[in-house]
Amino acid sequence: MTHASSVQPPRVAVWLLDLFTPYEQTESIPGDLLEEFSDVASKSGVAYARRWYWRQSVRTILHVVRSGFRVAPWSIAGAVVGGVLLVQLGHAFTEGGIRTWNEFLSHHDHRLSHFDLFLMNSGMYLWRLTVSMLIGCIIALACKSREMLATITVSLVCSIQAVTGFWTFLHGWSPPLPIVLIGALYSFGDLFAIVIGGGIVRKYRFRSLHPARS
Amino acid sequence: MSGRDYLGEFEHIVVLALLRLGDRAYGVTVRQEIELRIGREVSIGAIYATLGRLETKGYVNSYLGDPTPERGGRSKRFFRVTAKGVAAVNRTHRALRRMTEGLRLARRY
């Protein structure tokens, strides 16, 4: 006999649903799915209920995304355009910093070890990721309840440039796998940082709206 | 909103489910009622997207119930059809009757 009340739905699916559900529906959609999950688990078993929950979550997120574009198209479009411009500005700022830093190193690198150079370049890359994450936070703050939709859309738009850059990096030579991975991290790491920034704002807003469930 | 608005296909199904369920109509019961009657799994997101549109049009209204432990302390949102919604259903039914009048539709089981 399955003790359905003690069985919980898949945590990753719950987390994704919490990220995308509009604030006005955070009582109803997750609550309904949790209630029905227990019912499905007691009738058809936990494994079936978990698959059912995943199907419902993915389809619900797709509906929420479509609905977001339909309900607030100009708001999302404005956030995306503004976000892409901010990303370009952010990259110009960090690239300028990296160029200045490399000029400094070229005059002083005879005194620095390879490890020192590695640490310094890693620090510059982390700075670039931090700027991207802050940009994600700004986009999310501007978007009110559609943070994830806006930040993911900005990332997808910027991915066109990232894919082009990565392709240019790989084209004409066959780098070893570690170099390919570093190139991919450099090209695409910003995109994830933007989405993470959106997620941070989302979580903070959710906690302030529902302190009992934080 | 003009008096010529008809309900979309899924809006029609959702409003009919609300009318069947009466005071028991919230996301879970609406989803289960539709799934039982049309024999197809429907996502809770589709239900709420449709209910959101219907509420914007003034065809349904909603209210929050009490939180319950089986819902992780979350409240149910109950829905009911307004008079404007009933009029929209009747208008859509009349339009469908007029369109199907005289047609010999093959039955499939």
Side-chain angles (χ1 to χ4, degrees):
Chain A
M1 178 85 175
T2 305
H3 294 283
S5 60
S6 62
V7 174
Q8 292 297 313
R11 289 171 75 162
V12 174
V14 173
W15 176 74
L16 284 171
L17 205 58
D18 277 344
L19 273 184
F20 282 91
T21 303
Y23 295 115
E24 61 271 19
Q25 289 171 339
T26 50
E27 289 286 311
S28 38
I29 291 179
D32 285 354
L33 282 179
L34 182 62
E35 181 185 324
E36 215 175 337
F37 172 79
S38 300
D39 195 37
V40 172
S42 63
K43 287 177 184 163
S44 312
V46 176
Y48 179 84
R50 291 173 76 89
R51 285 195 301 274
W52 174 88
Y53 195 94
W54 264 114
R55 273 199 311 278
Q56 285 289 322
S57 298
V58 168
R59 290 168 70 185
T60 296
I61 288 168
L62 289 174
H63 273 288
V64 163
V65 166
R66 271 205 296 269
S67 169
F69 281 115
R70 194 177 49 239
V71 166
W74 291 113
S75 168
I76 301 288
V80 169
V81 169
V84 169
L85 289 173
L86 263 180
V87 167
Q88 299 307 312
L89 199 65
H91 285 181
F93 174 65
T94 54
E95 293 296 330
I98 289 169
R99 262 199 300 278
T100 306
W101 189 247
N102 284 333
E103 278 169 20
F104 169 81
L105 291 178
S106 69
H107 288 116
H108 295 90
D109 67 358
H110 58 280
R111 285 180 281 184
L112 297 167
S113 68
H114 290 296
F115 185 67
D116 291 335
L117 289 170
F118 169 75
L119 279 182
M120 287 172 185
N121 280 314
S122 300
M124 290 304 296
Y125 180 62
L126 283 174
W127 167 241
R128 183 181 156 118
L129 287 181
T130 304
V131 168
S132 296
M133 198 166 66
L134 284 171
I135 290 170
C137 291
I138 292 168
I139 296 166
L141 283 167
C143 262
K144 300 192 181 161
S145 72
R146 313 257 177 221
E147 301 94 347
M148 299 316 297
L149 182 57
T151 50
I152 288 172
T153 307
V154 168
S155 289
L156 285 173
V157 170
C158 293
S159 69
I160 298 166
Q161 191 178 14
V163 165
T164 310
F166 189 54
W167 171 252
T168 307
F169 169 72
L170 289 179
H171 188 62
W173 67 311
S174 302
L177 183 63
I179 302 293
V180 172
L181 291 175
I182 289 169
L185 193 65
Y186 191 82
S187 298
F188 299 108
D190 296 330
L191 308 181
F192 290 105
I194 291 168
V195 176
I196 288 168
I200 289 169
V201 169
R202 167 81 188 191
K203 278 294 173 192
Y204 174 75
R205 272 193 182 136
F206 186 85
R207 275 190 195 142
S208 57
L209 284 173
H210 303 282
R213 282 208 294 280
S214 306
Chain B
M1 201 73 68
S2 76
R4 291 173 151 285
D5 281 339
Y6 301 109
L7 295 173
E9 179 200 336
F10 197 64
E11 288 177 343
H12 199 180
I13 288 173
V14 167
V15 172
L16 291 174
L18 294 184
L19 289 170
R20 281 187 176 277
L21 291 164
D23 289 340
R24 296 182 296 118
Y26 69 105
V28 172
T29 53
V30 171
R31 203 198 72 75
Q32 288 175 344
E33 180 72 15
I34 293 173
E35 196 169 289
L36 182 73
R37 291 197 175 266
I38 70 173
R40 192 182 82 197
E41 188 176 302
V42 171
S43 80
I44 199 77
I47 303 283
Y48 276 100
T50 305
L51 285 168
R53 280 200 305 278
L54 290 169
E55 198 162 14
T56 304
K57 292 178 187 179
Y59 294 162
V60 306
N61 55 28
S62 67
Y63 61 96
L64 274 180
D66 294 325
T68 57
E70 57 267 21
R71 295 171 60 86
R74 294 176 180 89
S75 304
K76 293 178 187 175
R77 182 171 284 279
F78 291 92
F79 293 87
R80 61 165 80 95
V81 185
T82 61
K84 195 174 172 187
V86 172
V89 169
N90 287 331
R91 195 164 50 238
T92 306
H93 277 194
R94 277 198 301 273
L96 286 171
R97 262 202 307 276
R98 284 196 294 269
M99 286 304 297
T100 54
E101 218 170 272
L103 286 178
R104 301 179 78 180
L105 299 169
R107 279 188 183 184
R108 286 195 179 88
Y109 293 97

